[in-house]
Amino acid sequence: MNNVPAWTANLRKVTPYVPGEQPQEGDKIKLNTNENPYPPSPKVFDAHRKLDVSAFSLYPELSAASLVKRLAAYHDISEREVFAGVGSDDVLSMSFLTFFNSQKPILFPDITYSFYPVWAQAYQIPYECKPLRGDFTVDVDDYKGENGGVVIANPNAPTSIGMAATEIEEIIKANRDVVVIIDEAYVDFGGETVLPLIHKYDNLLVVRTFSKSRSLAGMRIGYAMGDERLIQALNDVKESVNSYTMNTASISLGAASLEDETYFQQNVGKIVNTRECVGGELVKLGFEVKESQTNFLFVSHKEISAKHIFERLKEKHIYVRYFDKERIRNYLRITVGTEEQMGVFLEAVREIVLV
Amino acid sequence: MNNVPAWTANLRKVTPYVPGEQPQEGDKIKLNTNENPYPPSPKVFDAHRKLDVSAFSLYPELSAASLVKRLAAYHDISEREVFAGVGSDDVLSMSFLTFFNSQKPILFPDITYSFYPVWAQAYQIPYECKPLRGDFTVDVDDYKGENGGVVIANPNAPTSIGMAATEIEEIIKANRDVVVIIDEAYVDFGGETVLPLIHKYDNLLVVRTFSKSRSLAGMRIGYAMGDERLIQALNDVKESVNSYTMNTASISLGAASLEDETYFQQNVGKIVNTRECVGGELVKLGFEVKESQTNFLFVSHKEISAKHIFERLKEKHIYVRYFDKERIRNYLRITVGTEEQMGVFLEAVREIVLV
């Protein structure tokens, strides 16, 4: 690699997103990427078995039509108000590309999903980060000035903190001239959705994922809901990038997952219960624990550094998420696993903090 | 839809790609999107059965590592020289975004894969179309001036015509300061690959797909091969768009497909044989048939208009591709189906042209 080829001058300048580690050892406990510890619904297993592999020789349905139809029915909205993609990352990325073509900066919090600044840079979108308050809550007034668009994760990550729908509505109302994206990746675990507002505000796009509450991170399924003109614009841009993004298997398994509301509620219920128990235990062990509306906990120990706990846990093959980043350097983000996994985790934490 | 919302001013301006029809009726013969008429390898069926659906709750492998590893072994190159994505459309789209950031126009033929101008527009890349010669062959000298990059489909679509590797090498050599993308989607059906040249020229990117010769259009699998600095740049941009694009099922089934060279060769062999037979029959029926190195035929009847034949075939539930576009308005692109399908097709054509 001595010489630098001339074509490097034409490369897009990016700072890639860094996802959580994907350790390969077998006996690990993985609490670092907010995956669901439970398998998908038995109806997903059935759908997998019933897939016609010989039909994989044909292109998938255009616009993932059957999944979109099922999502529309599930949320009781029109098919023209739903857009499906390869995880909420694909849906959000496509939304940035579609809606944020202003010279004015888009706005989002300084501590939030770290893909937002990455997409902004990749698509050369000016952006401005609005600092969360000291307690990591969003100050609604920060989002009332002129801007090129707004994106808010609600509940927020990695803080786990949710906002009231009324607060989000204030932001939407203050920004009728731009698109406001509400990233509800974690909303099923106790957040307040603004989905009903899509019929009131044509500038609101609500984004969801099957990766968390539906145990389907491996199949990459996400979607957006909003005014049909927003969805049409998204589809036009998507059709300018790749005609077929979701594959036949993900379309089918995603639709099957929506057929099993009982399993979905039980799955979410278990995680919420475990979250509350583990949160309580961590408080007893000297942690400050943010009130979570997600499938993870955002915690800071009063005496022992987050980095130390992170590294000691890793030695014990327990992976949590540590962000070496201003303001949150002394926090850990801990995905809620099964009761059993969290028992092992708590035991390990006790060994680390009670020495 | 009376009032136009203010946020529409910030929308990205695009002219979406229009894919071939996906008719839903049951008894149709679909020869319009260059899908493979045969099922994937039995090893793909096995891999599907063996997939661990409970593990779909976890994110897929980063960078589709096991598929990349298998592709590198298959082509006897380094893993650092392979990039995998959601069909070659995803790989090509990402390549446009990554490599074509010059003020100078990129170059491609006037008649070629119609997604090239769509991506250029979506990513605001200046471009210039170089007219094919009268016989639809590429004039290599057209690609020797200053430019921001070159993309050539070889064999070309929808013309079905291939170029010699020596001609492609001339283009690569004349453009060492920019990236030259050779889209080899159809190369397995008789084209000449330039893959061996990736070790000679660091500005060459070769793109392939599993959608045609591997009967996996429904699973969306494509890949690129080139100098490791090209691949690194592609990965950086991909990691700035979506950490996980290929899902767990597509990674696994793609790898399984590569394990069955015998099936692959037989599948391709059958299509090439059928193509030659059908081509011969069409000549007898008064068609001009371009010499095809692909899984489709590009034909024009000496007396009857392409549009008429297209519409009459459609009435008989036989779908071929018609492009209402300058220079090729009197041509049809016909995907090579099974022998049986092509028998029915030829019978229908006879009824139309021998009246």
Side-chain angles (χ1 to χ4, degrees):
Chain A
M1 304 293 152
N2 308 315
N3 61 325
V4 176
W7 50 257
T8 56
N10 296 339
L11 290 180
R12 184 159 290 252
K13 271 132 208 94
V14 293
T15 312
Y17 174 78
V18 181
E21 294 171 276
Q22 298 289 18
Q24 293 304 311
E25 72 232 73
D27 64 341
K28 65 186 180 292
I29 294 184
K30 200 168 166 302
L31 308 174
N32 69 334
T33 53
N34 294 346
E35 290 153 328
N36 194 306
Y38 300 108
S41 152
K43 298 216 172 174
V44 171
F45 284 73
D46 284 348
H48 176 79
R49 264 191 300 274
K50 285 180 190 151
L51 272 173
D52 176 10
V53 176
S54 54
F56 289 176
S57 63
L58 305 177
Y59 281 100
E61 293 170 353
L62 282 171
S63 308
S66 64
L67 175 61
V68 163
K69 190 172 175 173
R70 195 64 201 77
L71 280 166
Y74 183 82
H75 290 296
D76 196 18
I77 59 179
S78 155
E79 292 170 39
R80 289 192 306 274
E81 294 171 329
V82 181
F83 171 86
V86 178
S88 57
D89 284 346
D90 179 45
V91 174
L92 287 162
S93 163
M94 211 67 89
S95 300
F96 272 55
L97 189 62
T98 305
F99 301 119
F100 295 158
N101 293 282
S102 166
Q103 298 303 311
K104 296 174 200 156
I106 62 166
L107 308 180
F108 49 83
D110 62 339
I111 299 164
T112 189
Y113 187 30
S114 36
F115 231 128
Y116 301 157
V118 173
W119 286 317
Q121 198 203 4
Y123 299 135
Q124 296 156 1
I125 300 164
Y127 69 94
E128 198 181 317
C129 292
K130 296 290 184 183
L132 294 179
R133 296 194 189 98
D135 63 355
F136 295 156
T137 57
V138 170
D139 185 344
V140 166
D141 290 332
D142 285 343
Y143 299 87
K144 293 183 176 171
E146 260 204 306
N147 62 66
V150 174
V151 53
I152 301 272
N154 185 43
N156 198 9
T159 67
S160 81
I161 299 168
M163 287 171 79
T166 50
E167 288 183 293
I168 299 281
E169 185 168 7
E170 244 189 273
I171 294 177
I172 301 164
K173 270 163 102 167
N175 290 284
R176 294 306 309 276
D177 58 333
V178 296
V179 175
V180 176
I181 299 175
I182 306 301
D183 177 355
E184 296 191 340
Y186 297 102
V187 79
D188 295 323
F189 300 101
E192 253 191 80
T193 182
V194 287
L195 180 56
L197 300 183
I198 64 166
H199 293 134
K200 195 166 168 190
Y201 302 104
D202 61 29
N203 62 321
L204 166 63
L205 191 79
V206 175
V207 177
R208 299 272 184 97
T209 179
F210 280 50
S211 298
K212 313 300 178 187
S213 54
R214 293 194 175 273
S215 302
L216 281 169
M219 289 309 280
R220 316 301 297 122
I221 307 170
Y223 60 110
M225 294 170 286
D227 183 274
E228 58 185 80
R229 287 162 296 185
L230 289 175
I231 300 303
Q232 182 61 52
L234 263 178
N235 271 314
D236 285 349
V237 170
K238 182 248 167 201
E239 295 293 341
S240 301
V241 169
N242 194 345
S243 298
Y244 305 93
T245 54
M246 300 191 72
N247 65 29
T248 301
S250 59
I251 293 169
S252 168
L253 271 50
S257 163
L258 292 167
E259 302 290 344
D260 198 348
E261 186 64 14
T262 309
Y263 184 88
F264 170 72
Q265 296 293 350
Q266 282 169 351
N267 184 333
V268 165
K270 279 192 287 187
I271 289 167
V272 169
N273 283 339
T274 308
R275 177 186 77 202
E276 295 307 306
C277 294
V278 174
E281 292 302 312
L282 288 173
V283 169
K284 288 184 209 161
L285 290 167
F287 284 88
E288 179 213 351
V289 178
K290 294 288 174 194
E291 194 187 323
S292 171
Q293 297 189 342
T294 64
N295 70 336
F296 60 88
L297 292 160
F298 198 56
V299 309
S300 178
H301 195 269
K302 285 164 187 158
E303 286 155 28
I304 304 167
S305 84
K307 194 166 184 210
H308 174 78
I309 300 171
F310 167 73
E311 281 166 357
R312 291 291 312 280
L313 284 170
K314 200 163 158 178
E315 286 163 22
K316 296 168 188 282
H317 309 289
I318 298 172
Y319 291 81
V320 300
R321 193 81 194 263
Y322 170 70
F323 299 90
D324 189 8
K325 204 183 149 180
E326 223 181 314
R327 294 190 73 186
I328 57 171
R329 204 164 268 132
N330 208 28
Y331 284 82
L332 294 174
R333 192 195 70 184
I334 300 150
T335 306
V336 177
T338 62
E339 265 185 64
E340 196 195 345
Q341 288 176 322
M342 298 320 279
V344 176
F345 162 78
L346 283 171
E347 201 41 51
V349 171
R350 274 184 205 107
E351 283 170 26
I352 296 166
V353 303
L354 299 181
V355 280
Chain B
M1 302 297 153
N2 308 315
N3 62 324
V4 177
W7 51 257
T8 55
N10 297 338
L11 290 180
R12 183 159 291 253
K13 271 131 206 96
V14 293
T15 312
Y17 174 78
V18 180
E21 292 171 275
Q22 299 288 19
Q24 293 304 312
E25 72 232 73
D27 63 342
K28 66 186 179 291
I29 294 184
K30 201 169 164 303
L31 308 174
N32 68 334
T33 55
N34 294 347
E35 290 153 327
N36 194 306
Y38 300 108
S41 152
K43 297 216 173 175
V44 171
F45 284 73
D46 283 349
H48 176 79
R49 264 190 301 275
K50 285 179 190 151
L51 273 172
D52 176 9
V53 175
S54 54
F56 289 176
S57 62
L58 305 177
Y59 281 100
E61 294 171 352
L62 281 172
S63 308
S66 63
L67 176 61
V68 163
K69 191 172 174 173
R70 195 64 202 77
L71 280 166
Y74 183 82
H75 289 296
D76 196 19
I77 58 179
S78 155
E79 291 170 39
R80 290 192 304 276
E81 295 170 329
V82 181
F83 171 86
V86 178
S88 57
D89 283 346
D90 179 44
V91 174
L92 287 163
S93 164
M94 212 67 89
S95 300
F96 273 55
L97 190 62
T98 304
F99 301 120
F100 295 158
N101 293 283
S102 165
Q103 297 303 311
K104 296 172 200 157
I106 61 166
L107 309 180
F108 49 82
D110 62 338
I111 299 164
T112 188
Y113 187 30
S114 37
F115 231 128
Y116 301 157
V118 172
W119 287 316
Q121 198 202 5
Y123 299 135
Q124 295 156 2
I125 299 163
Y127 68 94
E128 198 181 316
C129 292
K130 295 292 186 182
L132 294 178
R133 296 193 189 100
D135 64 355
F136 295 156
T137 57
V138 171
D139 185 343
V140 166
D141 290 332
D142 285 343
Y143 298 87
K144 292 184 177 169
E146 260 203 306
N147 62 67
V150 174
V151 53
I152 301 272
N154 185 42
N156 197 10
T159 66
S160 81
I161 299 169
M163 286 170 81
T166 49
E167 288 182 295
I168 299 281
E169 185 168 6
E170 246 190 87
I171 294 177
I172 301 164
K173 270 164 103 166
N175 291 284
R176 294 305 308 275
D177 58 333
V178 297
V179 175
V180 176
I181 299 175
I182 306 300
D183 177 355
E184 296 191 341
Y186 297 103
V187 79
D188 295 323
F189 300 101
E192 255 192 78
T193 182
V194 287
L195 180 56
L197 300 183
I198 65 166
H199 293 135
K200 193 166 169 190
Y201 301 104
D202 62 29
N203 62 319
L204 167 63
L205 191 79
V206 175
V207 177
R208 299 270 184 99
T209 179
F210 280 49
S211 298
K212 312 300 179 187
S213 54
R214 295 194 174 273
S215 303
L216 281 169
M219 290 309 281
R220 315 301 297 122
I221 307 172
Y223 60 110
M225 295 171 286
D227 184 274
E228 58 185 80
R229 287 163 294 186
L230 289 174
I231 300 303
Q232 183 61 53
L234 263 178
N235 271 314
D236 285 349
V237 170
K238 182 249 168 200
E239 295 294 341
S240 301
V241 169
N242 194 344
S243 299
Y244 306 94
T245 53
M246 297 190 73
N247 66 29
T248 301
S250 59
I251 293 170
S252 168
L253 271 50
S257 163
L258 292 167
E259 302 289 345
D260 199 347
E261 186 64 13
T262 309
Y263 184 88
F264 171 72
Q265 296 294 349
Q266 282 169 351
N267 184 334
V268 165
K270 279 192 287 187
I271 289 168
V272 168
N273 282 340
T274 308
R275 176 187 78 202
E276 295 307 307
C277 293
V278 174
E281 291 302 312
L282 288 173
V283 169
K284 288 185 209 162
L285 290 168
F287 283 88
E288 179 214 352
V289 179
K290 294 288 175 192
E291 195 186 321
S292 171
Q293 298 189 340
T294 64
N295 70 336
F296 58 88
L297 291 161
F298 198 56
V299 308
S300 178
H301 195 271
K302 286 164 186 158
E303 286 155 26
I304 304 166
S305 84
K307 194 167 183 209
H308 174 77
I309 300 171
F310 167 72
E311 281 166 357
R312 291 292 309 280
L313 284 170
K314 200 163 159 177
E315 285 165 20
K316 296 167 188 283
H317 308 290
I318 298 173
Y319 292 80
V320 299
R321 193 81 194 264
Y322 170 70
F323 299 88
D324 190 8
K325 205 182 148 181
E326 221 181 315
R327 293 190 72 186
I328 57 171
R329 203 162 270 132
N330 207 28
Y331 284 82
L332 295 174
R333 192 193 71 184
I334 301 150
T335 306
V336 176
T338 61
E339 265 185 66
E340 196 195 345
Q341 288 176 321
M342 299 319 278
V344 176
F345 162 78
L346 283 172
E347 202 41 52
V349 172
R350 273 181 207 109
E351 284 171 26
I352 297 165
V353 304
L354 299 180
V355 281

